[in-house]
Amino acid sequence: MDIIMIPGLWLDGSSWSAVTPPLEQAGHRVRALTPPGMESKDADRSGIGLRDHVDYVVAAIDEADEPVVLVGHSAGGAIAQQAADARPDRVARVVYVDAAPMPPDSVINDDIPADGGELPLPDWGFFEDEDLTDLDDELRRHFRERSIPSPKAVAYERGELTDERRLEVPSTIICCQFPSKLIAEWIDQGAPFVAEIARMRRVDYVDLPTGHWPQFTKPTELGEALLDAVGRG
């Protein structure tokens, strides 16, 4: 299958490099995207908003000959969701890597400190302990060296969801920081931040206990989980 991989904030397409080998070895066609403004630390990010990133993914979907699997990490999950909303008949499955579909008219994260129109990778103290599980000093150094400021508007602008057919698209949520059991409890409690998951028709859960960046902390396990999820697609 055609697999389109969408990185989270501060990362480009190369962040998936340790994860993709089992997918490629199985014969899948992998395209790891680098969204607009994320080409380098010095790229021009002025004027780039959330819709630009969504449209970039939609264009990649349209270039594929067959329905695709979208894989989105963190903020990339919200972008994958909105791309699936734009092309529900062209997406075979969405895989959310330590991410989840967002309720309509919500933002990715407008608490991240901004520097002008950019969001540099914050100090580690900004993140919760669960985010940083297994991210040792060497991995933190590697992550910070490769990090690229994200366009502020990508995280701050409200998402647009317009097609209810997105709820029919099969989805897999790879749970890292929080186990699937906890997500089920939140759904039962009617928590608003999981309202979109509660409305989705077909959702599978995979528990992969680690921090928020499994592509760095557990790349082999993540690759195997993705291979299984793609097989379902």
Side-chain angles (χ1 to χ4, degrees):
M1 298 193 70
D2 288 299
I3 305 171
I4 297 173
M5 308 189 76
I6 309 159
L9 299 177
W10 311 300
L11 296 170
D12 62 8
S14 69
S15 61
W16 294 107
S17 60
V19 177
T20 57
L23 300 171
E24 294 167 335
Q25 291 165 9
H28 298 296
R29 297 173 295 275
V30 178
R31 182 175 177 185
L33 301 183
T34 294
M38 300 302 294
E39 298 86 356
S40 72
K41 294 179 184 291
D42 299 324
D44 182 6
R45 282 173 275 280
S46 60
I48 294 177
L50 176 59
R51 198 67 218 177
D52 296 300
H53 281 203
V54 174
D55 289 345
Y56 189 72
V57 176
V58 171
I61 295 172
D62 291 343
E63 291 170 4
D65 293 332
E66 300 177 350
V68 305
V69 174
L70 299 180
V71 178
H73 166 250
S74 189
I79 293 167
Q81 174 196 17
Q82 291 174 58
D85 178 80
R87 296 289 188 273
D89 57 339
R90 298 278 297 144
V91 178
R93 180 172 293 272
V94 180
V95 183
Y96 297 90
V97 179
D98 210 40
M102 295 168 46
D105 199 37
S106 58
V107 301
I108 290 174
N109 190 339
D110 56 5
D111 291 328
I112 301 171
D115 181 4
E118 297 185 341
L119 301 177
L121 177 64
D123 293 336
W124 300 120
F126 172 79
F127 300 100
E128 301 291 337
D129 290 343
E130 293 86 355
D131 290 318
L132 304 174
T133 300
D134 298 327
L135 197 71
D136 61 25
D137 289 343
E138 178 63 19
L139 289 174
R140 293 186 194 194
R141 183 190 62 78
H142 170 72
F143 183 4
R144 190 162 296 280
E145 286 179 351
R146 72 180 301 157
S147 69
I148 300 167
S150 293
K152 173 183 174 181
V154 171
Y156 279 44
E157 286 181 352
R158 297 194 176 276
E160 298 179 8
L161 298 170
T162 61
D163 195 328
E164 293 283 291
R165 289 181 298 166
R166 72 180 181 277
L167 302 172
E168 304 289 344
V169 177
S171 298
T172 298
I173 298 177
I174 298 180
C175 307
C176 298
Q177 298 179 76
F178 306 108
S180 58
K181 179 181 178 180
L182 186 56
I183 295 176
E185 291 175 0
W186 287 333
I187 292 173
D188 290 342
Q189 295 164 6
F193 53 87
V194 292
E196 185 79 357
I197 304 177
R199 299 178 64 209
M200 291 162 59
R201 308 289 189 267
R202 297 171 59 188
V203 185
D204 298 318
Y205 297 92
V206 177
D207 286 306
L208 178 57
T210 189
H212 187 53
W213 292 278
Q215 65 270 61
F216 298 149
T217 57
K218 291 194 175 182
T220 301
E221 295 87 341
L222 178 57
E224 292 170 352
L226 290 175
L227 183 59
D228 182 66
V230 170
R232 298 170 188 260

